[in-house]
Amino acid sequence: MPAQRRLHLGAFMRPVSIHTGAWRYPGAFPDANFNIAHLRRFIRKLEEGKFDAFFMADHLAVLNMPIEALKRSHTVTSFEPFTLLSAFAGATERIGLVGTASTTFDAPFHIARRFASLDHISGGRAGWNIVTTSNPDAALNFGHDEQTEHAARYRRAREFYEVVTGLWDSFADDAFVRDTASGFYFDPERMHVLDHKGEHFSVRGPLNIARPVQGWPVIVQAGASDDGRQLAAETAEVVFTAVNSIEAGRAFYTDVKARVEKAGRSRDHLKILPGALVVVGDSLDEARETRARLDGLVHEASAIAALSIALGVDASSFDPDGPLPEVPHTNASKSGRERAIALARAENLTVRQLAQRLGGYGGLSFVGTPQTIADAMEEWLVTEGSDGFNVMFPFVPEGLDAFVDKVVPELQRRGIFRRDYEGTTLREHLGLPRPPNRFFPDA
Amino acid sequence: MPAQRRLHLGAFMRPVSIHTGAWRYPGAFPDANFNIAHLRRFIRKLEEGKFDAFFMADHLAVLNMPIEALKRSHTVTSFEPFTLLSAFAGATERIGLVGTASTTFDAPFHIARRFASLDHISGGRAGWNIVTTSNPDAALNFGHDEQTEHAARYRRAREFYEVVTGLWDSFADDAFVRDTASGFYFDPERMHVLDHKGEHFSVRGPLNIARPVQGWPVIVQAGASDDGRQLAAETAEVVFTAVNSIEAGRAFYTDVKARVEKAGRSRDHLKILPGALVVVGDSLDEARETRARLDGLVHEASAIAALSIALGVDASSFDPDGPLPEVPHTNASKSGRERAIALARAENLTVRQLAQRLGGYGGLSFVGTPQTIADAMEEWLVTEGSDGFNVMFPFVPEGLDAFVDKVVPELQRRGIFRRDYEGTTLREHLGLPRPPNRFFPDA
Ligand SMILES: Cc1cc2nc3c(=O)[nH]c(=O)nc-3n(C[C@H](O)[C@H](O)[C@H](O)COP(=O)(O)O)c2cc1C
Ligand SMILES: Cc1cc2nc3c(=O)[nH]c(=O)nc-3n(C[C@H](O)[C@H](O)[C@H](O)COP(=O)(O)O)c2cc1C
């Protein structure tokens, strides 16, 4: 292990907390998810904490829950990623800005252009979280009767990525000569017309924007199935994963890093960042109390709805006090189903217990003091459970402020997190190379 | 005529000048079209000049010109509207932000959501310039072999508008109760599921964002054909038009205002703003010299290319010194073709002369002193040639600074332009009502 290995930290927000009780916590801002003034404050605080990036999840429909749960969800109204991240670009100077965009319900030309534009506007801080969209209700908002089948979504995603990166390479970096004397604005020899014709897309190009500052915005991937991992290994530079334990983390890390090498890439060029809900207290008891109080704000209807989403089946007919029954395979998220089943087995949870955990946030979580949290993060780093984390805050502003003011200094003291930004682009923060232009390898 | 009638001024930019020689003018910023720092300076200057709005044109392909012309075009690299306007939202406080978005190559759910998000981020300053996209090359970037036929594009646009405005009305303004005690974030009785099923679109809804601050962002329309005018009469609140003379302006004004009334709307609820290139000098001669110098920077290849676009046919085989020959009808812009033919006839221009005029900017233009420019604008206003203008600057920063520093004070002195913003939203600047929610007329 080289001595200088350090954590990479993203903040995973949508655009605030994942926890469904977050907006009700005493002192939290109930409108935080949807108040641009609050959000500007949060992104600046993250930058003060030297985070690599703000990660914005995204969904193309209101979450598919029963109305009893939906009406309690603060995520029902949310900003759209491109508009919000572009607004953030002007409010910050260094922090990376990662937006989620679906390959199932958008066009490669639009996605290539918007991320290129965001990358230029932010001076090289954009990242694209490629998702295939698991919420079946999204399909209904885009003229489809039902969600496309899982493997087909991933095939489309792979080709979508090829087209987008090809469009980003439309111009060599030195194409724009802007010679006022001759009147030549750019050199057409340094422009490439993609002319892509594939299974899903036919896109001529070129893109009508210069190559992004970073060459390509950083590619992020969040699917966890076999197809998802393979797409990550071939394309991603950051994997955002949901693993529940350090053992699961190490297994995932080993598997995906091996796939990366098998795909002919350097294992260092893909960073694995599990999501982790971090609840900070001055004592262990205080932190645990906060978590318990927060989970207590989750309504049972939301809890059962979350369980249904995770399993891909309606869980409201299950006996709440019984164990989790056999659950059939569906066309929704495979990894979510496996995670839920594993959690129920591992902790021997009833349906209600499982639902309440998932309804708040059922994934990996560090609940403790700045020291115990830093201990845990260091262990993950040192034992190759991960390359860092996508931190989730239990509520804002307090949960976020506590992390930046208390946990970050402890990580810095240990030498496992930067004291200041060393570069200006997201690639530089992450230690990733700038990809060469495939059509102009010399430039 | 009520005494208080005043001009409305938009700045039409893409994102800087329309004139193809703009970037080469002495003192102009050659990279102005693509430098976020310059652009922030320009938008702030427009706000200092109390402009109603910044209007951003947009194209979904590099302009379809021969490479000899394209390589001289500063518009080949341009920011994408949603990202740029969102960045501007944070750099300004009052000015409206109008973005062009195509109904031919995007999905209503995306467009509804992005404009709603921009409207919230900007505190109610968004506008949507609905275009059907005339550049046939755009089709090739979105999987089509050729551009959809003109009338079909407009039918799709009409239904697209219905879906988008319906999605904006997904939530009553009072839907979000955010009651931390009960845990109800919103009232589902105040949410409407659109369930649209039409000829072109099937969209379930609801939109996953609160109703825009303005109810709906301001609807802008730029097509000039019969279909275009009819769409404007039924839907638009601002019409951006290209008319070449005050007579043509009055005819257009009379026709469109009559159509608005026939559609059952108030004629005051649609503002007609012709585009006008404004070249300011301290004397008439100085202004004319500037214009001549600017046109002189347009290369013949660009000139012929512009003529080809306007006519919808390849003009490079025409005799440059002869009169304009008969030109066949095509599937491209109808109004562009008619304009070019009328201009050639009116001024008895050769093909080369016509091409050079169009290659720079062939539309309406005011070239003069602050007094003569104000005289002309006042005449248009008073005689119902228009409700204001979409001002185009010959080059930046100088052309923009000259307009704000010299012409705006003269308009203010005459009482035909605001001295300060009176409201905070684009609707307020334009004197437009906030549309009621069609599903919740009480709220
Ligand atoms: C940690 C994580 C975060 C995700 N975030 C999003 C998101 O923001 N939006 C979305 O539509 N899908 C999101 N997904 C869904 C994935 O893109 C994918 O469609 C889904 O996980 C099914 O693929 P899988 O079986 O490979 O996991 C996420 C998945 C994971 C594991
Ligand atoms: C003044 C004006 C500005 C326009 N701006 C754009 C634009 O920015 N992007 C675009 O794709 N089309 C633009 N158009 C094209 C129109 O949306 C429309 O597709 C085209 O004019 C053909 O329709 P028409 O025959 O009704 O004019 C513009 C048209 C006019 C008249």
Side-chain angles (χ1 to χ4, degrees):
Chain A
M1 188 96 14
Q4 74 281 14
R5 214 169 143 245
R6 286 183 178 178
L7 290 166
H8 293 285
L9 295 182
F12 184 69
M13 299 166 96
R14 195 197 158 229
V16 178
S17 180
I18 291 299
H19 199 288
T20 54
W23 66 278
R24 298 179 67 191
Y25 199 88
F29 297 158
D31 65 343
N33 218 41
F34 198 60
N35 178 317
I36 186 73
H38 288 337
L39 290 172
R40 280 211 189 90
R41 177 189 153 170
F42 302 153
I43 187 88
R44 288 188 179 127
K45 187 77 189 181
L46 291 170
E47 189 166 74
E48 187 191 319
K50 315 300 176 197
F51 270 70
D52 292 72
F54 171 92
F55 271 61
M56 187 172 172
D58 192 49
H59 296 276
L60 294 173
V62 296
L63 295 183
N64 54 340
M65 340 170 143
I67 197 73
E68 276 305 303
L70 187 63
K71 74 187 184 189
R72 294 177 165 86
S73 168
H74 63 126
T75 63
V76 71
T77 184
S78 170
F79 292 103
E80 182 277 337
F82 288 105
T83 44
L84 185 63
L85 295 179
S86 301
F88 281 172
T92 55
E93 288 178 2
R94 296 295 190 91
I95 192 168
L97 302 165
V98 179
T100 295
S102 172
T103 54
T104 305
F105 301 109
D106 213 323
F109 194 88
H110 284 314
I111 294 295
R113 195 169 170 235
R114 292 197 177 105
F115 276 113
S117 194
L118 177 63
D119 202 54
H120 283 288
I121 285 172
S122 64
R125 297 188 280 140
W128 172 26
N129 180 28
I130 301 185
V131 298
T132 61
T133 298
S134 55
N135 181 349
D137 285 357
L140 305 177
N141 289 330
F142 293 89
H144 303 276
D145 289 338
E146 55 180 33
Q147 174 68 300
T148 314
E149 175 262 322
H150 190 272
R153 294 208 303 277
Y154 273 106
R155 275 200 308 280
R156 182 179 154 108
R158 189 68 182 76
E159 187 182 339
F160 199 113
Y161 162 88
E162 285 304 322
V163 179
V164 167
T165 52
L167 287 171
W168 283 334
D169 287 346
S170 292
F171 293 93
D173 291 317
D174 59 7
F176 296 91
V177 292
R178 296 190 182 98
D179 181 359
T180 51
S182 69
F184 293 144
Y185 196 78
F186 75 96
D187 176 359
E189 300 281 308
R190 311 297 283 164
M191 174 180 94
H192 180 85
V193 178
L194 186 64
D195 243 329
H196 174 92
K197 285 197 172 50
E199 185 190 342
H200 304 85
F201 304 107
S202 151
V203 179
R204 197 179 73 160
L207 202 63
N208 51 352
I209 185 165
R211 194 163 191 251
V213 173
Q214 297 182 99
W216 303 351
V218 172
I219 304 293
V220 184
Q221 220 281 317
S225 63
D226 193 67
D227 288 338
R229 291 176 190 212
Q230 196 49 37
L231 178 65
E234 292 170 18
T235 68
E237 303 174 279
V238 174
V239 168
F240 174 24
T241 179
V243 283
N244 269 315
S245 66
I246 193 164
E247 295 74 30
R250 284 188 208 123
F252 184 87
Y253 193 96
T254 305
D255 175 60
V256 172
K257 294 267 175 168
R259 288 177 192 248
V260 169
E261 287 182 331
K262 207 168 156 207
R265 302 172 57 205
S266 159
R267 56 193 276 118
D268 292 338
H269 294 168
L270 179 145
K271 309 293 177 187
I272 296 178
L273 308 184
L277 182 75
V278 180
V279 182
V280 189
D282 289 331
S283 69
L284 213 56
D285 281 351
E286 191 194 305
R288 285 182 182 144
E289 237 165 70
T290 300
R291 175 74 202 251
R293 191 167 177 188
L294 184 63
D295 285 348
L297 295 170
V298 179
H299 189 270
E300 187 168 322
S302 308
I304 294 291
L307 180 59
S308 303
I309 290 177
L311 298 174
V313 301
D314 180 6
S316 61
S317 61
F318 296 173
D319 172 10
D321 297 308
L324 189 66
E326 274 304 303
V327 179
H329 284 272
T330 72
N331 190 23
S333 174
K334 286 185 189 174
S335 48
R337 175 178 170 280
E338 280 157 30
R339 265 199 322 275
I341 294 170
L343 177 64
R345 288 211 189 117
E347 301 191 24
N348 206 13
L349 302 175
T350 64
V351 166
R352 179 185 283 115
Q353 287 168 325
L354 179 63
Q356 282 171 327
R357 177 75 67 89
L358 295 178
Y361 177 73
L364 180 68
S365 142
F366 299 134
V367 179
T369 66
Q371 285 70 33
T372 67
I373 293 166
D375 286 345
M377 289 188 160
E378 191 165 3
E379 190 189 356
W380 278 72
L381 180 71
V382 170
T383 64
E384 298 202 326
S386 76
D387 297 307
F389 295 93
N390 254 314
V391 179
M392 309 183 197
F393 306 107
F395 44 86
V396 284
E398 201 195 295
L400 161 59
D401 291 348
F403 189 89
V404 170
D405 296 336
K406 297 176 180 172
V407 180
V408 167
E410 179 59 27
L411 298 172
Q412 289 169 332
R413 209 188 49 73
R414 297 174 184 216
I416 55 170
F417 190 60
R418 70 173 68 82
R419 284 182 188 272
D420 203 352
Y421 294 107
E422 281 143 23
T424 58
T425 69
L426 177 55
R427 284 192 177 277
E428 286 167 342
H429 304 339
L430 290 165
L432 297 169
R434 189 174 191 273
N437 188 317
R438 81 177 70 152
F439 307 118
F440 303 100
D442 57 317
Chain B
M1 187 97 14
Q4 73 281 14
R5 214 169 145 246
R6 285 184 180 176
L7 289 166
H8 293 286
L9 295 182
F12 183 66
M13 298 165 97
R14 197 199 156 225
V16 178
S17 179
I18 292 299
H19 199 290
T20 53
W23 66 277
R24 298 179 67 191
Y25 199 88
F29 298 160
D31 66 341
N33 217 42
F34 198 60
N35 178 316
I36 186 74
H38 288 338
L39 290 172
R40 280 211 188 90
R41 176 188 155 172
F42 302 153
I43 187 89
R44 288 188 178 127
K45 187 77 189 181
L46 290 170
E47 189 165 75
E48 187 192 318
K50 315 301 176 196
F51 269 70
D52 291 73
F54 171 93
F55 270 61
M56 187 172 170
D58 192 48
H59 296 276
L60 295 173
V62 295
L63 296 184
N64 55 340
M65 336 170 145
I67 197 73
E68 277 305 304
L70 187 63
K71 73 186 185 190
R72 294 177 164 86
S73 168
H74 63 126
T75 62
V76 71
T77 184
S78 172
F79 292 103
E80 182 277 338
F82 288 105
T83 44
L84 184 64
L85 295 179
S86 301
F88 281 171
T92 55
E93 290 178 0
R94 297 295 190 91
I95 192 167
L97 302 165
V98 179
T100 295
S102 171
T103 54
T104 305
F105 301 110
D106 213 324
F109 194 88
H110 285 312
I111 294 294
R113 194 167 170 238
R114 293 198 177 106
F115 276 114
S117 193
L118 177 63
D119 202 54
H120 283 288
I121 285 172
S122 64
R125 297 188 280 140
W128 172 26
N129 180 29
I130 302 184
V131 298
T132 63
T133 298
S134 55
N135 182 349
D137 285 356
L140 306 177
N141 289 330
F142 293 89
H144 302 276
D145 289 337
E146 54 179 35
Q147 174 69 300
T148 315
E149 176 261 323
H150 190 272
R153 295 207 305 276
Y154 273 105
R155 277 200 309 279
R156 182 177 155 109
R158 189 68 182 77
E159 187 181 340
F160 199 113
Y161 162 89
E162 284 304 321
V163 179
V164 168
T165 52
L167 287 170
W168 282 334
D169 286 347
S170 291
F171 292 94
D173 291 318
D174 58 7
F176 295 92
V177 293
R178 296 191 182 95
D179 182 359
T180 51
S182 68
F184 294 144
Y185 196 78
F186 75 97
D187 176 359
E189 301 280 309
R190 309 299 281 165
M191 174 180 92
H192 179 86
V193 178
L194 185 64
D195 244 329
H196 174 91
K197 285 197 171 52
E199 185 191 341
H200 304 84
F201 304 106
S202 150
V203 179
R204 195 178 75 160
L207 201 63
N208 52 352
I209 185 164
R211 193 163 192 253
V213 173
Q214 298 183 98
W216 304 350
V218 172
I219 304 294
V220 183
Q221 220 279 317
S225 63
D226 193 69
D227 287 340
R229 291 176 190 211
Q230 197 49 36
L231 178 65
E234 292 171 18
T235 68
E237 301 175 282
V238 174
V239 169
F240 174 24
T241 178
V243 283
N244 269 316
S245 66
I246 193 163
E247 294 73 31
R250 285 189 205 121
F252 184 87
Y253 195 96
T254 305
D255 176 60
V256 173
K257 294 269 174 165
R259 287 177 191 248
V260 169
E261 287 184 330
K262 209 169 154 203
R265 302 171 59 205
S266 158
R267 56 193 278 116
D268 293 338
H269 294 167
L270 179 146
K271 308 295 178 187
I272 297 178
L273 308 184
L277 181 75
V278 180
V279 183
V280 190
D282 289 331
S283 69
L284 212 56
D285 280 350
E286 190 194 304
R288 286 184 181 142
E289 238 164 70
T290 300
R291 175 72 203 251
R293 192 168 176 186
L294 185 62
D295 287 348
L297 294 169
V298 179
H299 189 270
E300 188 168 319
S302 308
I304 293 291
L307 180 59
S308 302
I309 291 177
L311 297 175
V313 300
D314 180 6
S316 61
S317 62
F318 296 173
D319 171 10
D321 298 308
L324 189 67
E326 275 304 302
V327 179
H329 285 273
T330 72
N331 191 24
S333 173
K334 287 185 190 174
S335 47
R337 176 179 169 279
E338 280 156 28
R339 266 201 318 277
I341 293 170
L343 177 63
R345 290 213 185 114
E347 302 192 23
N348 205 15
L349 301 175
T350 64
V351 166
R352 179 185 285 116
Q353 285 169 326
L354 179 65
Q356 282 170 326
R357 176 77 66 90
L358 295 178
Y361 176 71
L364 181 67
S365 141
F366 299 133
V367 179
T369 65
Q371 286 69 34
T372 67
I373 292 165
D375 286 346
M377 290 189 159
E378 189 164 4
E379 190 189 356
W380 278 74
L381 180 71
V382 170
T383 64
E384 298 202 326
S386 76
D387 296 308
F389 295 93
N390 254 313
V391 179
M392 309 183 196
F393 307 107
F395 44 86
V396 284
E398 200 195 297
L400 161 58
D401 290 349
F403 188 89
V404 171
D405 295 336
K406 298 175 180 174
V407 180
V408 167
E410 179 59 26
L411 299 172
Q412 289 169 331
R413 209 189 48 76
R414 297 175 185 216
I416 55 170
F417 189 60
R418 71 173 67 83
R419 284 181 189 273
D420 204 352
Y421 293 107
E422 282 144 21
T424 59
T425 69
L426 177 55
R427 286 192 174 276
E428 286 167 342
H429 304 339
L430 290 166
L432 297 169
R434 189 175 191 275
N437 187 316
R438 80 177 69 154
F439 308 118
F440 303 100
D442 58 317

